[in-house]
Amino acid sequence: MATLGDENDPTAEGSEMGVLSATEPQAQPASPAEPGEPALNRTWPLPPPEGFTADDLDRIPDLPPHTELIDGSLVFVSPQALFHMLVIDLLRFQLPQQAPESMRVRREMSVVLGPRQRPEPDIMVVDAAAEDGVDLKSYAAEHVILAVEVVSPDSQERDRERKPQLYAKAGIRHFWRIENDDHRPVVYVYELDPATGAYVATGIHRDHLKLSVPFDIDIDLGDIKRM
């Protein structure tokens, strides 16, 4: 992922994600489609001094798909590997079959955690009552029951550190982080400690994911090989 916006982003230093300067408009050349063809330029929006806000994602034209807002900075998502897609598809197929009627499983939707925070978890379990129409563009944090992030090489720092911090601070009770271990999914499960406001690890699941919260879940992680 690349970011555009907040020069004080605590996760930017030392990461693999480039932070574009906020002092002048930026143009990023695209690779030519054929040898000898000129590269095309795209000018990214100039952020305000205080960074972008969650509402800006609905107003800025021509943003790349799945653009997130973290600490006032725009985060552009890189193309995902097959492993990432297969894990998401496995959960997107299995979880709705096991979730109660009061919950819904969603992907490719963002959650507003604060004025300058609007990430897009890979998978969310949300309160069904929060959906009041098909024009919904994001969920409020209080309606998210579970947030899931599948870690990619270009998003390790955010998925392992910053996003869990933000989800916990917003009061999202359950969080899963899924890692690629030799092409096999490993699910790290966390639950919010109400006394500290931080996540506590409750289990590491390598072959089988069997949980009783936020509802009864039983998933054979090896099914990814048959997808």
Side-chain angles (χ1 to χ4, degrees):
M1 298 181 184
T3 63
L4 171 62
D6 187 358
E7 62 185 4
N8 296 317
D9 181 351
T11 66
E13 183 177 357
S15 76
E16 299 175 359
M17 307 165 197
V19 180
L20 302 180
S21 169
T23 59
E24 59 183 347
Q26 300 291 329
Q28 179 174 319
S31 300
E34 297 292 342
E37 290 186 1
L40 300 176
N41 289 332
R42 167 176 282 182
T43 300
W44 303 117
L46 181 67
E50 67 277 9
F52 292 106
T53 68
D55 290 339
D56 288 334
L57 287 188
D58 297 325
R59 296 192 287 257
I60 299 173
D62 301 323
L63 283 176
H66 313 300
T67 298
E68 301 180 280
L69 185 72
I70 305 292
D71 298 322
S73 297
L74 298 179
V75 180
F76 304 139
V77 179
S78 301
Q80 300 298 330
L82 178 61
F83 173 85
H84 190 277
M85 184 197 74
L86 291 175
V87 171
I88 292 176
D89 284 351
L90 175 65
L91 297 180
R92 186 66 186 87
F93 176 74
Q94 291 285 347
L95 289 176
Q97 298 185 51
Q98 302 178 29
E101 284 294 321
S102 61
M103 299 181 190
R104 298 289 185 268
V105 179
R106 298 290 180 248
R107 61 172 296 184
E108 299 181 359
M109 291 286 288
S110 59
V111 53
V112 177
L113 305 178
R116 300 169 71 244
Q117 315 289 357
R118 188 172 165 182
E120 184 182 298
D122 289 311
I123 291 285
M124 285 190 293
V125 175
V126 301
D127 184 351
E131 301 186 339
D132 56 1
V134 295
D135 294 328
L136 184 71
K137 294 182 178 180
S138 63
Y139 293 93
E142 59 265 29
H143 296 141
V144 179
I145 299 162
L146 166 68
V148 182
E149 295 287 355
V150 182
V151 178
S152 297
D154 68 336
S155 65
Q156 288 180 352
E157 289 83 2
R158 294 185 189 275
D159 292 342
R160 292 174 178 174
E161 298 175 19
R162 189 59 180 142
K163 282 189 175 182
Q165 293 171 353
L166 294 172
Y167 295 149
K169 184 177 180 181
I172 296 176
R173 186 174 177 184
H174 301 279
F175 172 69
W176 298 352
R177 189 185 82 246
I178 303 179
E179 302 271 357
N180 182 347
D181 183 10
D182 194 23
H183 311 301
R184 297 183 304 169
V186 179
V187 184
Y188 294 79
V189 176
Y190 299 85
E191 189 168 346
L192 189 65
D193 182 343
T196 64
Y199 284 127
V200 175
T202 60
I204 301 175
H205 304 261
R206 296 184 177 274
D207 299 309
H208 206 96
L209 179 63
K210 189 173 179 62
L211 302 169
S212 59
V213 291
F215 50 89
D216 288 333
I217 296 170
D218 191 344
I219 298 175
D220 182 355
L221 299 175
D223 282 346
I224 192 175
K225 299 178 182 178
R226 294 179 284 276
M227 295 181 64

